[in-house]
Amino acid sequence: GNSVTQMEGPVTLSEEAFLTINCTYTATGYPSLFWYVQYPGEGLQLLLKATKADDKGSNKGFEATYRKETTSFHLEKGSVQVSDSAVYFCALSGSSGNEKLTFGTGTRLTIIP
Amino acid sequence: GAVVSQHPSWVICKSGTSVKIECRSLDFQATTMFWYRQFPKQSLMLMATSNEGSKATYEQGVEKDKFLINHASLTLSTLTVTSAHPEDSSFYICSARDPNSYNEQFFGPGTRLTVL
């Protein structure tokens, strides 16, 4: 079945540092890949997504590239801010677009001023 | 983006009682909603898929008689935890699929259930 392996946290960085959160997946076919963010006290929000190999999803300075050869979808940001402190979840869904989401374990990110 | 609400945001109940959690899509109609359970420091575990007008589809290992799901309208799904026990204490999250947004799932803020 489908699975997502995500870098364990927590991760603590200083403001303006470079961020990478690793995510690899196991799936049949051609899944869609997602990063969700959960800010304190709020529900999950879609941060970015990619639906096919070599696609790059980007939003709010975050980027992730769908790498089929390495089955990875690592999240990166060049300069993090305190407001980026949250829990980040990598997820995938099947290729039909209507299939359920499979989540990674989440990575708690804390940015210190 | 679309908005999904959950009610209540937290609830404390005695062991043996039943608790109902509501999930509403506020500005779109959702034929499909999902119920997840999140344990501390763990990921979201899909419990069931709720389809409007039909029976829910439960994931393997989830007791359908314990976690009753009703999706009676296009904007409301309910999860009832029957005869709750302390091991049912958890964070329950729903999501709703918006057919007008490429079937993207929008998540509610979650409900913290504590069973004493």
Side-chain angles (χ1 to χ4, degrees), chain B residues 35-37 45-49 57-59 62 67 79 92:
Chain B
W35 287 96
Y36 296 86
R37 185 172 179 178
M45 181 192 77
L46 179 65
M47 299 175 65
T49 301
T57 304
Y58 289 81
E59 295 299 301
V62 178
F67 298 99
L79 168 68
Y92 293 88

Side-chain angles (χ1 to χ4, degrees), chain A residues 36 38 41-46 49 87 89 97-101 103-106, chain B residues 34 36 38 41-44 46 49 59 91 93 97 102-105 107-109:
Chain A
Y36 284 85
Q38 186 177 28
E42 299 182 18
L44 275 72
Q45 301 173 27
L46 179 64
K49 67 179 182 181
V87 181
F89 293 91
N98 286 326
E99 297 185 33
K100 57 189 179 184
L101 289 167
F103 285 88
T105 53
Chain B
F34 302 88
Y36 296 86
Q38 186 179 26
K41 298 184 179 181
Q42 294 189 30
S43 186
L44 281 73
L46 179 65
T49 301
E59 295 299 301
F91 195 56
I93 301 173
R97 179 181 281 156
Y102 304 98
N103 284 317
E104 180 180 335
Q105 286 188 38
F107 287 80

Side-chain angles (χ1 to χ4, degrees), chain A residues 84-102:
Chain A
D84 294 326
S85 298
V87 181
Y88 292 81
F89 293 91
C90 185
L92 69 80
S93 72
S95 52
S96 72
N98 286 326
E99 297 185 33
K100 57 189 179 184
L101 289 167
T102 300

Side-chain angles (χ1 to χ4, degrees), chain B residues 2-57:
Chain B
V3 180
V4 174
S5 69
Q6 275 184 248
H7 178 79
S9 55
W10 59 270
V11 57
I12 302 172
C13 69
K14 293 182 178 180
S15 186
T17 61
S18 294
V19 174
K20 179 184 285 189
I21 302 170
E22 293 184 348
C23 177
R24 293 182 185 272
S25 57
L26 298 185
D27 51 2
F28 66 100
Q29 294 183 329
T31 55
T32 304
M33 292 185 174
F34 302 88
W35 287 96
Y36 296 86
R37 185 172 179 178
Q38 186 179 26
F39 293 97
K41 298 184 179 181
Q42 294 189 30
S43 186
L44 281 73
M45 181 192 77
L46 179 65
M47 299 175 65
T49 301
S50 171
N51 298 298
E52 188 267 338
S54 64
K55 292 183 178 180
T57 304

